[in-house]
Amino acid sequence: MIQIYTDGVLTFDSRLEEYNLLGLSVQLGLNKGGTAKIIMPPEHPAYSSFTSYKSIVEIRRDAELLFRGRALSPADDFYNRRTITCEGELCFFRDSVMRPYLYQDDPASIFTALVTNHNAQVDEAKRFVVGTITVTDPNDYIRLESEKAEQTSDTLNTLLERCGGYIVFTTNSSGQRVVNWYKSLGYRSTQLIEFGENLLDFARTESNADLATAILPFGAADDTGTRVTIKSVNGGVDYVQDEQAVALRGFIMQPVYWDDVTEPANLLTKAQQYLASSKQILTSLSLSAVDLSLVDANLDQFQIGDDIHVVSKPHSVDAWFQLTQLDLDLLNPEKDKVTL
Protein backbone atom coordinates (compact mmCIF):
# COMPACT_ATOMS: atom_id res chain seq x y z
CA MET A 1 0.00 0.00 0.00
CA ILE A 2 1.36 3.38 -1.07
CA GLN A 3 -0.10 6.64 0.23
CA ILE A 4 0.72 10.31 -0.28
CA TYR A 5 -0.29 13.01 2.16
CA THR A 6 -0.06 16.68 1.15
CA ASP A 7 -0.21 19.10 4.08
CA GLY A 8 -1.77 16.28 6.09
CA VAL A 9 -4.50 15.50 3.54
CA LEU A 10 -4.61 12.17 1.66
CA THR A 11 -3.87 12.86 -2.03
CA PHE A 12 -3.03 9.33 -3.22
CA ASP A 13 -3.88 5.81 -2.11
CA SER A 14 -2.86 2.84 -4.24
CA ARG A 15 -6.07 1.03 -3.20
CA LEU A 16 -8.38 3.72 -4.61
CA GLU A 17 -8.90 3.83 -8.37
CA GLU A 18 -9.91 7.51 -8.49
CA TYR A 19 -6.47 8.42 -7.10
CA ASN A 20 -4.54 6.69 -9.90
CA LEU A 21 -1.21 8.24 -10.83
CA LEU A 22 0.79 8.04 -14.05
CA GLY A 23 4.10 7.89 -12.19
CA LEU A 24 5.51 7.92 -8.68
CA SER A 25 9.23 7.66 -7.97
CA VAL A 26 11.52 8.43 -5.06
CA GLN A 27 15.28 8.85 -4.96
CA LEU A 28 16.92 8.67 -1.54
CA GLY A 29 20.61 9.30 -0.85
CA LEU A 30 23.02 9.17 2.05
CA ASN A 31 23.40 12.72 3.48
CA LYS A 32 21.28 14.01 0.60
CA GLY A 33 17.87 15.62 0.63
CA GLY A 34 16.44 13.17 -1.88
CA THR A 35 13.69 13.81 -4.42
CA ALA A 36 10.27 12.50 -5.34
CA LYS A 37 8.30 12.83 -8.59
CA ILE A 38 4.53 12.57 -8.79
CA ILE A 39 2.92 12.44 -12.24
CA MET A 40 -0.86 12.87 -12.32
CA PRO A 41 -3.55 13.15 -14.97
CA PRO A 42 -5.57 16.40 -15.16
CA GLU A 43 -8.67 14.72 -13.67
CA HIS A 44 -6.83 13.68 -10.49
CA PRO A 45 -8.65 14.96 -7.36
CA ALA A 46 -5.42 16.46 -6.00
CA TYR A 47 -4.32 18.06 -9.28
CA SER A 48 -4.28 21.57 -7.76
CA SER A 49 -3.48 20.65 -4.16
CA PHE A 50 0.24 21.51 -4.18
CA THR A 51 1.51 24.97 -3.28
CA SER A 52 5.03 25.47 -4.66
CA TYR A 53 7.78 25.54 -2.02
CA LYS A 54 5.25 25.36 0.81
CA SER A 55 3.22 22.15 0.67
CA ILE A 56 4.69 19.38 2.81
CA VAL A 57 4.54 16.02 1.05
CA GLU A 58 4.78 12.66 2.82
CA ILE A 59 5.00 9.37 0.95
CA ARG A 60 4.28 6.23 2.96
CA ARG A 61 4.71 2.57 2.09
CA ASP A 62 2.72 0.18 4.27
CA ALA A 63 2.25 3.06 6.75
CA GLU A 64 6.03 3.58 7.07
CA LEU A 65 7.32 7.05 6.16
CA LEU A 66 9.47 6.67 3.05
CA PHE A 67 9.89 10.30 2.02
CA ARG A 68 9.13 13.70 3.53
CA GLY A 69 9.79 16.99 1.82
CA ARG A 70 8.19 19.90 0.01
CA ALA A 71 6.65 20.35 -3.41
CA LEU A 72 8.50 22.50 -5.94
CA SER A 73 6.99 24.14 -9.01
CA PRO A 74 4.73 21.88 -11.13
CA ALA A 75 5.38 21.16 -14.81
CA ASP A 76 2.55 20.42 -17.25
CA ASP A 77 2.91 18.76 -20.66
CA PHE A 78 0.82 19.09 -23.84
CA TYR A 79 -1.89 16.83 -22.39
CA ASN A 80 -1.94 18.69 -19.05
CA ARG A 81 -0.31 15.80 -17.27
CA ARG A 82 1.25 17.40 -14.23
CA THR A 83 4.63 16.47 -12.73
CA ILE A 84 5.21 17.54 -9.15
CA THR A 85 8.88 17.37 -8.16
CA CYS A 86 9.58 17.34 -4.42
CA GLU A 87 12.83 17.80 -2.49
CA GLY A 88 13.56 16.07 0.81
CA GLU A 89 13.52 17.70 4.23
CA LEU A 90 17.30 18.02 4.50
CA CYS A 91 16.83 20.78 1.90
CA PHE A 92 14.81 22.78 4.45
CA PHE A 93 18.14 23.99 5.83
CA ARG A 94 18.50 26.06 2.63
CA ASP A 95 15.68 28.29 3.84
CA SER A 96 17.55 29.77 6.80
CA VAL A 97 20.70 31.86 6.99
CA MET A 98 23.78 31.78 9.19
CA ARG A 99 24.99 35.31 9.76
CA PRO A 100 28.80 35.74 10.05
CA TYR A 101 29.82 33.34 12.82
CA LEU A 102 32.66 31.91 14.87
CA TYR A 103 32.23 28.64 16.73
CA GLN A 104 34.93 27.14 18.95
CA ASP A 105 33.26 24.20 20.62
CA ASP A 106 32.60 20.46 20.43
CA PRO A 107 30.75 19.10 17.35
CA ALA A 108 27.51 18.35 19.21
CA SER A 109 27.21 21.89 20.56
CA ILE A 110 27.84 23.44 17.14
CA PHE A 111 25.34 21.11 15.47
CA THR A 112 22.72 21.99 18.08
CA ALA A 113 23.40 25.71 17.58
CA LEU A 114 22.90 25.37 13.80
CA VAL A 115 19.57 23.61 14.21
CA THR A 116 18.42 26.15 16.83
CA ASN A 117 19.33 29.04 14.50
CA HIS A 118 17.46 27.35 11.65
CA ASN A 119 14.33 26.71 13.73
CA ALA A 120 14.12 30.37 14.73
CA GLN A 121 13.74 31.43 11.07
CA VAL A 122 11.42 28.89 9.42
CA ASP A 123 7.82 27.69 9.58
CA GLU A 124 6.93 25.04 12.13
CA ALA A 125 6.68 22.31 9.49
CA LYS A 126 10.38 22.82 8.66
CA ARG A 127 11.69 22.77 12.23
CA PHE A 128 13.53 19.87 13.86
CA VAL A 129 14.20 18.59 17.33
CA VAL A 130 17.85 17.67 17.91
CA GLY A 131 18.05 13.95 18.63
CA THR A 132 20.98 11.60 19.11
CA ILE A 133 24.50 12.85 18.34
CA THR A 134 27.36 10.33 18.40
CA VAL A 135 29.89 12.31 16.32
CA THR A 136 32.86 13.46 18.40
CA ASP A 137 36.26 15.05 17.90
CA PRO A 138 39.51 13.79 19.52
CA ASN A 139 40.08 17.25 21.00
CA ASP A 140 36.37 17.76 21.75
CA TYR A 141 36.96 21.11 20.06
CA ILE A 142 36.69 22.41 16.51
CA ARG A 143 36.76 25.89 15.04
CA LEU A 144 34.16 26.85 12.47
CA GLU A 145 33.88 30.39 11.13
CA SER A 146 32.68 32.51 8.24
CA GLU A 147 33.02 36.24 7.64
CA LYS A 148 30.03 36.18 5.30
CA ALA A 149 26.42 35.14 5.72
CA GLU A 150 25.55 31.79 4.16
CA GLN A 151 22.70 29.29 4.00
CA THR A 152 22.50 27.03 7.05
CA SER A 153 22.77 24.08 4.66
CA ASP A 154 26.25 25.29 3.62
CA THR A 155 27.38 25.54 7.24
CA LEU A 156 25.98 22.10 7.95
CA ASN A 157 27.87 20.67 4.96
CA THR A 158 31.10 22.25 6.23
CA LEU A 159 30.54 20.64 9.62
CA LEU A 160 29.93 17.25 7.99
CA GLU A 161 33.06 17.60 5.88
CA ARG A 162 35.07 18.43 8.98
CA CYS A 163 33.69 15.75 11.32
CA GLY A 164 32.06 13.12 9.10
CA GLY A 165 28.97 11.24 10.13
CA TYR A 166 25.47 10.80 8.81
CA ILE A 167 22.29 12.89 9.09
CA VAL A 168 19.24 10.73 9.81
CA PHE A 169 15.68 11.95 10.34
CA THR A 170 13.24 10.19 12.65
CA THR A 171 9.94 10.97 14.39
CA ASN A 172 9.56 11.10 18.17
CA SER A 173 6.60 9.99 20.28
CA SER A 174 5.10 13.49 20.07
CA GLY A 175 5.09 13.41 16.27
CA GLN A 176 7.94 15.91 15.94
CA ARG A 177 10.59 15.42 13.30
CA VAL A 178 14.00 14.71 14.81
CA VAL A 179 17.40 15.29 13.21
CA ASN A 180 20.13 12.90 14.40
CA TRP A 181 23.85 12.97 13.66
CA TYR A 182 25.44 9.54 13.83
CA LYS A 183 29.15 8.79 13.62
CA SER A 184 28.36 5.47 11.92
CA LEU A 185 25.33 3.46 10.88
CA GLY A 186 26.60 -0.05 10.28
CA TYR A 187 23.32 -1.97 10.34
CA ARG A 188 23.75 -5.26 8.47
CA SER A 189 20.64 -6.09 6.49
CA THR A 190 19.15 -9.57 6.68
CA GLN A 191 18.44 -9.35 2.94
CA LEU A 192 21.28 -10.05 0.54
CA ILE A 193 21.55 -9.33 -3.16
CA GLU A 194 22.50 -12.48 -5.02
CA PHE A 195 23.03 -13.46 -8.63
CA GLY A 196 20.35 -15.91 -9.72
CA GLU A 197 17.98 -14.76 -6.96
CA ASN A 198 17.13 -11.06 -6.89
CA LEU A 199 19.96 -9.41 -8.87
CA LEU A 200 18.66 -8.19 -12.24
CA ASP A 201 21.41 -5.90 -13.53
CA PHE A 202 24.97 -5.04 -12.52
CA ALA A 203 27.45 -2.21 -13.14
CA ARG A 204 30.69 -1.51 -11.28
CA THR A 205 33.00 1.52 -11.18
CA GLU A 206 36.19 2.16 -9.23
CA SER A 207 37.46 5.66 -8.59
CA ASN A 208 38.71 8.26 -6.12
CA ALA A 209 39.09 11.76 -7.54
CA ASP A 210 40.93 12.85 -4.37
CA LEU A 211 43.28 9.87 -4.12
CA ALA A 212 46.36 10.51 -2.00
CA THR A 213 49.05 8.16 -0.70
CA ALA A 214 50.71 10.89 1.40
CA ILE A 215 49.29 13.79 3.41
CA LEU A 216 51.02 17.10 4.19
CA PRO A 217 49.04 18.42 7.20
CA PHE A 218 48.89 21.98 8.52
CA GLY A 219 47.30 23.06 11.78
CA ALA A 220 46.33 26.41 13.25
CA ALA A 221 48.36 29.52 12.44
CA ASP A 222 49.98 31.70 15.12
CA ASP A 223 50.14 35.51 15.15
CA THR A 224 52.91 35.49 12.55
CA GLY A 225 50.97 33.23 10.20
CA THR A 226 53.18 30.20 10.88
CA ARG A 227 51.16 27.01 10.99
CA VAL A 228 51.52 23.99 13.25
CA THR A 229 53.20 21.01 11.54
CA ILE A 230 53.99 17.45 12.58
CA LYS A 231 57.79 17.69 12.29
CA SER A 232 58.37 17.67 16.05
CA VAL A 233 56.41 14.42 16.54
CA ASN A 234 57.21 12.70 13.24
CA GLY A 235 61.00 12.39 13.18
CA GLY A 236 61.54 15.76 11.54
CA VAL A 237 59.32 14.89 8.56
CA ASP A 238 56.34 17.15 7.86
CA TYR A 239 54.16 14.59 6.05
CA VAL A 240 52.82 11.05 6.48
CA GLN A 241 52.63 8.37 3.82
CA ASP A 242 51.33 4.84 3.46
CA GLU A 243 54.15 2.61 2.24
CA GLN A 244 51.90 -0.04 0.69
CA ALA A 245 49.75 2.56 -1.05
CA VAL A 246 52.86 4.33 -2.41
CA ALA A 247 54.19 1.02 -3.72
CA LEU A 248 50.88 0.28 -5.42
CA ARG A 249 49.78 3.71 -6.71
CA GLY A 250 52.91 5.84 -6.55
CA PHE A 251 53.69 8.87 -4.39
CA ILE A 252 50.68 11.20 -4.52
CA MET A 253 50.70 13.97 -1.90
CA GLN A 254 47.82 16.19 -0.84
CA PRO A 255 47.97 19.19 1.55
CA VAL A 256 45.22 19.35 4.17
CA TYR A 257 44.49 22.20 6.61
CA TRP A 258 42.96 21.95 10.09
CA ASP A 259 42.59 25.48 11.44
CA ASP A 260 41.37 24.24 14.82
CA VAL A 261 44.28 21.88 15.64
CA THR A 262 46.98 23.45 17.80
CA GLU A 263 48.94 20.40 19.01
CA PRO A 264 51.38 18.56 16.69
CA ALA A 265 50.41 15.16 18.14
CA ASN A 266 46.73 15.78 17.45
CA LEU A 267 47.58 17.00 13.96
CA LEU A 268 49.49 13.77 13.32
CA THR A 269 46.48 11.72 14.40
CA LYS A 270 44.22 13.74 12.11
CA ALA A 271 46.59 13.24 9.16
CA GLN A 272 46.80 9.49 9.73
CA GLN A 273 43.02 9.18 9.90
CA TYR A 274 42.60 11.26 6.75
CA LEU A 275 45.19 9.18 4.90
CA ALA A 276 43.44 5.94 5.84
CA SER A 277 40.47 6.92 3.64
CA SER A 278 42.31 9.02 1.04
CA LYS A 279 44.45 6.09 -0.08
CA GLN A 280 41.44 3.94 -0.93
CA ILE A 281 39.99 3.29 -4.35
CA LEU A 282 36.21 3.32 -3.91
CA THR A 283 34.13 0.59 -5.53
CA SER A 284 30.57 1.56 -6.44
CA LEU A 285 27.95 -0.93 -7.58
CA SER A 286 24.84 0.21 -9.43
CA LEU A 287 22.35 -2.63 -9.30
CA SER A 288 18.82 -3.45 -10.29
CA ALA A 289 17.56 -5.79 -7.62
CA VAL A 290 14.20 -7.01 -6.44
CA ASP A 291 13.44 -6.02 -2.85
CA LEU A 292 12.34 -9.41 -1.54
CA SER A 293 10.92 -7.84 1.61
CA LEU A 294 7.91 -6.95 -0.54
CA VAL A 295 7.02 -10.66 -0.63
CA ASP A 296 8.72 -11.86 2.58
CA ALA A 297 7.98 -9.79 5.68
CA ASN A 298 10.79 -11.56 7.56
CA LEU A 299 13.42 -9.80 5.45
CA ASP A 300 14.66 -6.25 6.00
CA GLN A 301 13.64 -3.64 3.47
CA PHE A 302 16.51 -1.93 1.69
CA GLN A 303 17.32 1.20 3.72
CA ILE A 304 19.78 4.03 3.06
CA GLY A 305 22.99 3.48 5.05
CA ASP A 306 22.50 -0.25 5.59
CA ASP A 307 25.32 -2.68 4.87
CA ILE A 308 24.16 -5.13 2.18
CA HIS A 309 25.83 -8.44 1.36
CA VAL A 310 26.27 -8.78 -2.42
CA VAL A 311 27.10 -12.18 -3.90
CA SER A 312 27.65 -12.60 -7.65
CA LYS A 313 30.12 -15.25 -8.78
CA PRO A 314 30.07 -14.16 -12.45
CA HIS A 315 31.22 -10.70 -11.32
CA SER A 316 33.68 -11.98 -8.67
CA VAL A 317 31.83 -10.16 -5.90
CA ASP A 318 31.24 -11.50 -2.42
CA ALA A 319 31.41 -8.58 -0.01
CA TRP A 320 29.47 -6.13 2.13
CA PHE A 321 28.67 -2.70 0.67
CA GLN A 322 26.96 0.35 2.17
CA LEU A 323 23.73 1.32 0.44
CA THR A 324 24.19 4.97 -0.55
CA GLN A 325 21.31 5.57 -2.96
CA LEU A 326 17.85 4.13 -3.59
CA ASP A 327 15.93 4.79 -6.81
CA LEU A 328 12.40 3.54 -6.26
CA ASP A 329 9.62 3.26 -8.82
CA LEU A 330 6.70 2.80 -6.45
CA LEU A 331 4.26 1.86 -9.21
CA ASN A 332 6.70 -0.58 -10.85
CA PRO A 333 8.96 -2.03 -8.10
CA GLU A 334 10.75 -4.28 -10.59
CA LYS A 335 12.48 -1.12 -11.89
CA ASP A 336 14.02 -0.22 -8.52
CA LYS A 337 17.77 0.42 -8.46
CA VAL A 338 20.26 0.50 -5.61
CA THR A 339 23.73 2.03 -5.47
CA LEU A 340 26.24 0.61 -2.99
Side-chain angles (χ1 to χ4, degrees):
M1 176 184 66
I2 307 297
Q3 294 177 310
I4 300 175
Y5 288 87
T6 305
D7 296 325
V9 177
L10 182 68
T11 50
F12 172 73
D13 191 310
S14 57
R15 300 168 298 178
L16 303 177
E17 186 174 347
E18 64 267 27
Y19 282 94
N20 279 349
L21 293 175
L22 302 175
L24 178 59
S25 59
V26 172
Q27 184 182 85
L28 305 172
L30 199 60
N31 282 347
K32 295 180 179 179
T35 59
K37 282 192 176 181
I38 305 166
I39 306 175
M40 56 180 58
E43 66 272 12
H44 194 282
Y47 189 80
S48 300
S49 298
F50 300 85
T51 302
S52 301
Y53 292 91
K54 184 173 178 61
S55 288
I56 301 299
V57 177
E58 293 186 350
I59 300 177
R60 297 181 177 273
R61 182 170 60 186
D62 297 329
E64 293 292 327
L65 185 62
L66 184 65
F67 173 89
R68 181 176 184 268
R70 61 162 166 217
L72 303 180
S73 299
D76 299 339
D77 67 8
F78 182 80
Y79 300 99
N80 283 326
R81 294 173 296 199
R82 176 159 292 178
T83 298
I84 304 293
T85 301
C86 308
E87 61 180 6
E89 58 192 334
L90 183 59
C91 299
F92 293 169
F93 286 103
R94 295 176 184 166
D95 294 354
S96 59
V97 169
M98 294 292 300
R99 290 164 176 79
Y101 59 83
L102 170 61
Y103 290 111
Q104 299 178 96
D105 213 330
D106 60 274
S109 296
I110 297 176
F111 182 81
T112 301
L114 298 189
V115 177
T116 301
N117 173 76
H118 166 78
N119 288 343
Q121 300 179 49
V122 299
D123 302 334
E124 185 175 353
K126 295 185 285 187
R127 298 171 188 164
F128 302 101
V129 175
V130 176
T132 303
I133 300 175
T134 59
V135 174
T136 58
D137 179 79
N139 305 317
D140 207 27
Y141 166 90
I142 62 171
R143 179 187 175 95
L144 210 65
E145 66 177 314
S146 174
E147 296 179 353
K148 297 181 179 180
E150 62 187 22
Q151 308 305 127
T152 304
S153 56
D154 293 334
T155 312
L156 185 59
N157 288 335
T158 300
L159 187 61
L160 288 172
E161 290 171 3
R162 183 74 60 84
C163 302
Y166 304 97
I167 300 295
V168 177
F169 295 97
T170 56
T171 304
N172 64 18
S173 58
S174 300
Q176 297 170 300
R177 290 299 283 169
V178 178
V179 57
N180 307 278
W181 188 20
Y182 297 121
K183 180 178 179 61
S184 60
L185 299 175
Y187 178 78
R188 292 203 158 192
S189 176
T190 60
Q191 181 179 181
L192 59 78
I193 296 176
E194 186 173 11
F195 183 87
E197 293 293 332
N198 59 340
L199 178 61
L200 303 178
D201 196 12
F202 179 99
R204 172 172 47 203
T205 58
E206 295 185 347
S207 65
N208 183 354
D210 298 315
L211 179 74
T213 58
I215 298 298
L216 177 63
F218 295 98
D222 61 20
D223 294 338
T224 67
T226 302
R227 289 185 174 272
V228 174
T229 72
I230 61 173
K231 279 186 176 182
S232 62
V233 293
N234 195 44
V237 179
D238 64 354
Y239 66 92
V240 292
Q241 69 178 40
D242 184 287
E243 299 294 346
Q244 291 183 329
V246 170
L248 180 63
R249 311 286 181 193
F251 186 84
I252 305 170
M253 180 180 283
Q254 180 184 136
V256 184
Y257 292 82
W258 285 278
D259 292 330
D260 53 345
V261 178
T262 58
E263 297 294 331
N266 294 334
L267 184 61
L268 178 60
T269 299
K270 288 273 192 182
Q272 291 169 336
Q273 292 172 342
Y274 192 90
L275 178 59
S277 59
S278 297
K279 69 180 182 180
Q280 303 289 346
I281 293 292
L282 307 179
T283 299
S284 177
L285 304 183
S286 181
L287 311 175
S288 292
V290 177
D291 187 344
L292 296 178
S293 68
L294 299 176
V295 294
D296 185 351
N298 294 317
L299 293 176
D300 289 330
Q301 287 186 352
F302 292 143
Q303 300 282 352
I304 291 294
D306 285 356
D307 289 335
I308 310 290
H309 190 191
V310 181
V311 179
S312 179
K313 289 185 178 179
H315 302 102
S316 301
V317 173
D318 185 351
W320 290 84
F321 291 80
Q322 186 179 46
L323 201 162
T324 58
Q325 182 170 306
L326 269 173
D327 293 272
L328 305 175
D329 187 327
L330 296 175
L331 303 185
N332 303 282
E334 69 277 5
K335 296 182 180 179
D336 291 353
K337 292 185 178 181
V338 295
T339 301
L340 306 104

